[in-house]
Amino acid sequence: MYLPILWFLFLQLCFALTVPKKPSSDVIKPAVDPAKSLERKSYRSRYWSCTACCAGLSTLFPGKVKYFNDTVYAEQQQSYWSQQQQQTYPVCRFTPAEAREVSAAIHLVRATQCRFAVKSGGHASFEGGSNIQNGLAIDLSGLSALKLSNDSSILCVGPGNRWEDVYAFLDPLDLSVVGGRNGDVGVGGLTLGGGISYFSGFYGWALDNVANYEVIIANGSIVNASLTSHPDLYFALRGGGNNFGIITRFDFETFPHGDMWGGQIFYPFSTNQSQFEAFYWWAENANLDANGALILAAASVPGYGSFFSNGFVYAWPVMSPPLFDNFTAITNFSSTARLTRLPDLVAELTGSQPPGFRQVYITATFKNDIQMMSDIFKIWNDAVQPIFEDIAGFVPALAFQPITAKIIENFSKNGGNALGISPEDGSLTLWNMDFQWSDRRNDSIVLDMIQNIIAEGNAVAKSCGLFHRYIYQNYAYITQDVFAGYGEENKARLLRI
Ligand SMILES: Cc1cc2nc3c(=O)[nH]c(=O)nc-3n(C[C@H](O)[C@H](O)[C@H](O)COP(=O)(O)OP(=O)(O)OC[C@H]3O[C@@H](n4cnc5c(N)ncnc54)[C@H](O)[C@@H]3O)c2cc1C
């Protein structure tokens, strides 16, 4: 329906593009060194093609395109989690409210050759993860529908929702879905890359629990991808990230859920060896009771020092479930563990991971092993402690998370996902680091350090025969080759699709 208008606009815009004018300040004020950002030819042409695209969208959808001088633009910029993304400035931000508006945007970006980024909850931390300098940012926050099927088995979720919205909707109905553990994270990115949940021990990751995706594909068509409709696309969307289209609706399988147990338990650093032994036992025996979830994390925080801050959750209202006995035996110095509901647990984590700082995530995988955990902990600790005091606002964290045999079993649900992990791999440990700091002048020190730690950890894992190629997309740094980590066969299949 939009095609004739788009074609007309395209011709107009082509004409406009042949007579470039200097951007006037009421159109855009690129905030990062405008002279530099426009001096390179590729940047200049990108800027003009996106100015044209934004103008076209503005004509088609009045009020839904915002520029730098608008308060909505500013608010949406602030809704990214990391400072790097907040300080990346698109020519304009477009906020569609329906799938067909996203489709129209795709037609227009193709016509104008404007580069674009897609944002759901904005938690990708590196610059360009879901924002784009001098491009078009498609902000999905307007696609915020939540609708339960008549038999309550499927929840249709718009990608404008964050997990706290989803749980707030389902909790009063004693239902849940497999989703994020931090309420502020978006449904879109978490689900497309994997989605480690408090319920993964039993149901697998979020992507294993999506029955259907409504997708805008590269030619602008709106299609549904499921086991029976576009099954290849359905495979690709379970791990393919944002490479196969823009998802305008996720249909999640629901399950009954009510009271539960969980919280954060804090331990001194000196308990490190017992922590790793307890983790190993937990991961190897998780099949005995798949209702538990575990994150083992070491962190150093200015003013508080260094400690372990472990997240323990049990899907049922059982105080100190036996599955966690080995951790209970370690002396802690503080605990928030309690009987509670999911929205409360999720809010606890949201509060502990505030937005607005410089951030970097990075990750790798190894075969579950106590000595390997110990080696990685030492590499991390030796690297961060000497400079901990010198970097303003520096909060380095190292986390270990189990990919248990039962989780891996779920990866073959619905024809199998694209992650390239199979039961033959045995139980795996995903390790990731999140470094937070406040001054951009320290970027290169922090970014070099985190990449060196991962390289050193991987080298040790390889030398011990414990390395696994998998790289979790949702924690990966921009330089990591996520799709090579899926294995040759899956990478080739994704490329074919
Ligand atoms: C504080 C914090 C807590 C976290 N907790 C968890 C956790 O509990 N479990 C877990 O597994 N991971 C977790 N993560 C990692 C998280 O899953 C990723 O950062 C994820 O990419 C965030 O999704 P988002 O929608 O918020 O981010 P965005 O930055 O909006 O999107 C991330 C990527 O997905 C793409 N994308 C988003 N929506 C769509 C869509 N509808 N169609 C096409 N592409 C889309 C974007 O273009 C971008 O490439 C956490 C991260 C942070 C920073």
Side-chain angles (χ1 to χ4, degrees):
M1 150 191 174
Y2 293 118
L3 275 177
I5 309 173
L6 288 172
W7 185 239
F8 172 71
L9 275 169
F10 177 54
L11 292 176
Q12 275 196 325
L13 296 169
C14 286
F15 176 72
L17 281 173
T18 59
V19 202
K21 295 185 282 284
K22 206 169 178 294
S24 72
S25 59
D26 60 344
V27 176
I28 184 168
K29 295 177 218 155
V32 179
D33 200 350
K36 268 203 187 124
S37 77
L38 285 177
E39 80 194 357
R40 287 213 339 252
K41 195 169 169 237
S42 60
Y43 272 34
R44 217 168 39 226
S45 63
R46 186 201 299 182
Y47 178 84
W48 286 113
S49 64
C50 292
T51 302
C53 183
C54 290
L57 283 170
S58 204
T59 307
L60 283 173
F61 307 111
K64 292 186 176 168
V65 175
K66 301 294 177 188
Y67 293 94
F68 184 77
N69 54 359
D70 193 289
T71 49
V72 173
Y73 179 107
E75 279 163 20
Q76 289 188 350
Q77 288 287 117
Q78 288 304 307
S79 70
Y80 288 93
W81 185 64
S82 75
Q83 198 183 89
Q84 294 98 314
Q85 288 247 77
Q86 291 180 350
Q87 294 177 350
T88 297
Y89 297 94
V91 173
C92 74
R93 303 192 62 86
F94 172 51
T95 310
E98 294 174 46
R100 64 197 183 100
E101 296 178 359
V102 179
S103 163
I106 293 306
H107 284 294
L108 208 46
V109 294
R110 285 171 66 101
T112 56
Q113 293 293 297
C114 167
R115 293 179 62 190
F116 67 100
V118 175
K119 178 205 167 229
S120 169
H123 273 65
S125 52
F126 54 85
E127 182 180 331
S130 48
N131 206 354
I132 183 163
Q133 188 70 30
N134 287 344
L136 162 71
I138 301 180
D139 195 309
L140 300 176
S141 55
L143 291 157
S144 55
L146 283 168
K147 192 169 182 296
L148 198 58
S149 64
N150 287 341
D151 65 358
S152 300
S153 66
I154 296 287
L155 180 72
C156 303
V157 183
N161 287 289
R162 294 173 189 252
W163 289 105
E164 61 199 5
D165 306 320
V166 176
Y167 302 143
F169 179 86
L170 287 178
D171 192 62
L173 306 171
D174 283 331
L175 290 172
S176 198
V177 290
V178 179
R181 297 164 294 189
N182 172 313
D184 203 33
V185 171
V187 167
L190 181 130
T191 309
L192 286 169
I196 308 176
S197 155
Y198 288 137
F199 308 111
S200 289
F202 204 84
Y203 296 105
W205 287 2
L207 49 64
D208 299 312
N209 295 278
V210 181
N212 179 70
Y213 300 81
E214 181 187 78
V215 197
I216 314 300
I217 56 174
N219 66 8
S221 313
I222 305 177
V223 304
N224 277 278
S226 68
L227 260 182
T228 51
S229 165
H230 299 277
D232 271 348
L233 180 58
Y234 181 58
F235 166 80
L237 289 172
R238 286 172 298 146
N242 66 2
N243 291 294
F244 294 89
I246 302 180
I247 316 309
T248 46
R249 200 188 72 228
F250 295 83
D251 296 347
F252 283 96
E253 291 158 8
T254 64
F255 55 87
H257 184 255
D259 294 341
M260 60 197 298
W261 173 86
Q264 294 293 119
I265 304 191
F266 300 85
Y267 304 87
F269 242 27
S270 55
T271 62
N272 55 339
Q273 195 55 30
S274 320
Q275 299 286 346
F276 304 145
E277 285 164 11
F279 179 99
Y280 179 83
W281 186 93
W282 194 100
E284 291 300 311
N285 292 283
N287 278 12
L288 301 176
D289 184 348
N291 294 298
L294 164 66
I295 309 176
L296 195 158
S300 295
V301 182
Y304 293 89
S306 299
F307 49 83
F308 285 95
S309 161
N310 297 348
F312 299 126
V313 168
Y314 195 72
W316 300 98
V318 178
M319 279 302 283
S320 300
L323 183 63
F324 294 94
D325 276 355
N326 290 340
F327 286 105
T328 313
I330 307 171
T331 308
N332 70 68
F333 64 85
S334 179
S335 169
T336 67
R338 62 206 181 274
L339 293 182
T340 183
R341 305 280 294 191
L342 185 59
D344 177 49
L345 265 185
V346 159
E348 180 180 359
L349 211 56
T350 309
S352 70
Q353 298 174 305
F357 295 95
R358 301 192 81 68
Q359 299 280 357
V360 57
Y361 264 74
I362 201 164
T363 186
T365 308
F366 61 88
K367 291 173 193 285
N368 196 20
D369 184 81
I370 298 171
Q371 187 57 44
M372 193 62 229
M373 293 181 82
S374 198
D375 289 345
I376 288 173
F377 175 72
K378 183 170 184 322
I379 294 167
W380 172 82
N381 205 33
D382 288 352
V384 300
Q385 295 309 335
I387 57 159
F388 176 54
E389 307 268 318
D390 303 335
I391 297 183
F394 190 39
V395 182
L398 164 70
F400 295 100
Q401 305 190 53
I403 310 181
T404 63
K406 174 84 173 162
I407 293 177
I408 296 173
E409 209 178 292
N410 276 292
F411 285 176
S412 57
K413 241 163 61 177
N414 297 329
N417 65 36
L419 305 184
I421 297 177
S422 64
E424 294 73 53
D425 292 316
S427 126
L428 301 174
T429 300
L430 190 156
W431 63 290
N432 68 281
M433 289 176 280
D434 167 23
F435 287 5
Q436 174 181 305
W437 70 107
S438 40
D439 189 338
R440 67 162 60 232
R441 284 171 300 187
N442 288 319
D443 282 9
S444 59
I445 299 176
V446 176
L447 296 174
D448 287 351
M449 176 169 47
I450 204 165
Q451 291 179 85
N452 288 339
I453 297 172
I454 213 89
E456 216 180 312
N458 280 340
V460 175
K462 281 177 185 163
S463 71
C464 305
L466 294 168
F467 175 78
H468 191 280
R469 57 178 156 65
Y470 179 66
I471 297 169
Y472 181 34
Q473 179 174 165
N474 286 355
Y475 296 153
Y477 186 51
I478 192 166
T479 52
Q480 296 190 283
D481 190 347
V482 168
F483 296 108
Y486 289 5
E488 276 172 30
E489 198 183 317
N490 279 13
K491 184 177 172 183
R493 185 170 171 195
L494 288 175
L495 284 170
R496 279 199 306 276
I497 297 169

